[in-house]
Amino acid sequence: MILPVYLYGHPILREEAQEVPLDYPSLTEWVSNMFATMYHAEGVGLAAPQVGLSLRLVVIDGDPLAETYPECKGFRRVMINPVILRSSREEVVLEEGCLSLPGIHEKVPRARQIEVEYTDEHGQGCREVVSDFAARIVQHECEHLNGIVFTDNIPAIRRQLTKGKLNNIAKGNSRCRYKTRCAGR
Ligand code: NI
């Protein structure tokens, strides 16, 4: 089922999401709905708060970016309770966007490489080193679980310049191909 994507300005995007209990009912259904929603909206990552569920759960599929970023090939993950254990000091600045901030694309500095620990969809504990654009996706999605959106990480001058667009999104004045929900409506 395709779910509405909660837009910037909705308070759930600013909450600290809760740990997922391992016996959480309908977790499988949420994961499958999140993938359906993400593919429909043509995103490469989606965090549960973006579909109105304040839990530490993200889905990722970087495959559509494989041509530009080979490290994204086959990078399909369900991350339950992900924790970034360490981040490289080396940073890369690249443009990114977010399904909750339609129409906004800004350059964001991110660690080039991270190590992340999480539980996968089979209940298996995982730990892996992720690099380059794949690492960017993981960092972006994990931030959603802490109430952070990517425009929080851009230089103040750029943030000032996107303020009008962000306000419009919050007011429900943005146009989207996919189903959305915003605070105002
Ligand atoms: Ni996002």
Side-chain angles (χ1 to χ4, degrees):
M1 189 168 70
I2 292 165
L3 306 168
V5 175
Y6 285 55
L7 294 184
Y8 179 89
H10 197 290
I12 199 165
L13 295 177
R14 291 311 192 178
E15 283 174 24
E16 179 95 4
Q18 299 291 306
E19 290 272 315
V20 183
L22 288 178
D23 58 349
Y24 188 76
S26 65
L27 187 61
T28 313
E29 204 180 326
W30 275 104
V31 167
S32 121
N33 291 342
M34 283 172 66
F35 271 116
T37 304
M38 179 183 82
Y39 290 133
H40 173 72
E42 293 177 22
V44 291
L46 190 68
Q50 294 183 273
V51 289
L53 182 69
S54 194
L55 283 182
R56 309 190 78 81
L57 164 66
V58 310
V59 300
I60 292 171
D61 192 344
D63 213 54
L65 302 177
E67 238 175 74
T68 319
Y69 305 109
E71 64 278 10
C72 288
K73 186 163 179 55
F75 190 69
R76 185 186 192 273
R77 298 285 187 279
V78 175
M79 294 187 176
I80 300 162
N81 300 326
V83 178
I84 294 175
L85 301 171
R86 55 182 187 88
S87 305
S88 68
R89 222 172 302 166
E90 187 192 346
E91 285 193 331
V92 182
V93 181
L94 278 175
E95 194 166 273
E96 57 187 81
C98 177
L99 295 179
S100 294
L101 282 67
I104 297 182
H105 299 274
E106 291 290 330
K107 287 184 173 167
V108 185
R110 298 275 185 201
R112 195 185 73 75
Q113 192 174 69
I114 57 161
E115 186 175 15
V116 61
E117 188 175 60
Y118 59 93
T119 301
D120 73 7
E121 66 272 45
H122 311 295
Q124 191 83 40
C126 303
R127 191 171 178 156
E128 66 177 312
V129 173
V130 186
S131 304
D132 299 297
F133 211 90
R136 174 173 296 273
I137 301 171
V138 175
Q139 291 173 80
H140 176 122
E141 298 314 327
C142 286
E143 282 188 347
H144 275 301
L145 307 180
N146 296 326
I148 297 167
V149 296
F150 81 92
T151 47
D152 297 347
N153 302 322
I154 63 176
I157 175 80
R158 290 300 313 169
R159 208 159 49 237
Q160 194 60 34
L161 289 168
T162 56
K163 219 173 175 177
K165 278 194 199 173
L166 288 171
N167 286 339
N168 272 330
I169 294 171
K171 282 191 227 146
N173 296 333
S174 62
R175 229 169 294 165
C176 252
R177 287 171 296 100
Y178 45 91
K179 239 195 313 178
T180 58
R181 182 157 301 169
C182 88
R185 286 181 307 181

